[in-house]
Amino acid sequence: MVTVVSGTKSFDDVFEEHWHKIFCITPSRDPPKCDPSVLEYFGVLSLTDIRSPDRKLWYIYYSKQPEVDETLNRIFHKYGKKNMCEIFRKHTFSGVGLRARVKAYFYDKKWHVKGNILEAPAKTSCNSDQMLKMITDLYNEERRMLYGFLCMKHNGIRKHFY
């Protein structure tokens, strides 16, 4: 099940491989069976303010998988569907935790953070591609922290049993 892309494995593949090694589980040929109602998704929408198009705005959201469409419809109804474009959506361990991390990161960069809206300062040349890179880096950092926590717990258990 490991996919090799241009000679390197993706983080997800390496993560899964280590799970199997840590817990001595042989990989299954069957697709994983998981309950989609417990998966949380975190996403970012690029928002265009028609009254002042030079403002750079993004809307962050999170919800469980069955509620994603309902959440997006509610956001589109509030801000207008033609004024928004989704640039990022990934499943995450905790949508609330990732949202807090993203808000803190941009608040520290002196951005205007109010509720779920992120606004770049007026003289910033930030665009959706740069925003996507920053959000992806924060998402990967969150995943690495989870991986580090699991490795730490495994090493602690291994000391007691081996």
Side-chain angles (χ1 to χ4, degrees), residues 69-109:
D69 291 334
E70 180 184 320
T71 303
L72 286 175
N73 286 337
R74 195 174 64 244
I75 295 168
F76 288 154
H77 180 69
K78 184 175 182 179
Y79 293 102
K81 189 169 186 166
K82 63 181 178 179
N83 299 330
M84 300 191 99
C85 171
E86 187 167 31
I87 61 170
F88 183 85
R89 184 196 308 182
K90 292 277 188 174
H91 61 277
T92 182
F93 178 70
S94 169
V96 177
L98 187 55
R99 176 181 174 263
R101 175 182 291 276
V102 168
K103 285 178 71 170
Y105 175 81
F106 286 106
Y107 183 78
D108 289 344
K109 288 182 135 310

Side-chain angles (χ1 to χ4, degrees), residues 138-160:
L138 290 171
Y139 173 77
N140 289 336
E141 183 181 325
E142 182 91 6
R143 303 264 323 236
R144 279 191 290 278
M145 282 179 36
L146 177 61
Y147 175 74
F149 174 75
L150 291 172
C151 288
M152 178 188 69
K153 285 294 192 185
H154 172 70
N155 288 337
I157 291 171
R158 202 170 72 184
K159 285 180 187 177
H160 293 292

Side-chain angles (χ1 to χ4, degrees), residues 3-48:
T3 4
V4 178
V5 180
S6 68
T8 61
K9 295 179 185 177
S10 72
F11 180 77
D12 289 336
D13 295 335
V14 173
F15 191 62
E16 182 178 341
E17 198 175 285
H18 282 290
W19 270 101
H20 291 295
K21 286 179 186 176
I22 287 172
F23 297 108
C24 303
I25 300 171
T26 56
S28 173
R29 296 192 192 282
D30 299 332
K33 298 173 185 165
C34 63
D35 183 10
S37 65
V38 297
L39 283 177
E40 284 194 24
Y41 279 82
F42 176 83
V44 179
L45 300 165
S46 176
L47 176 63
T48 305

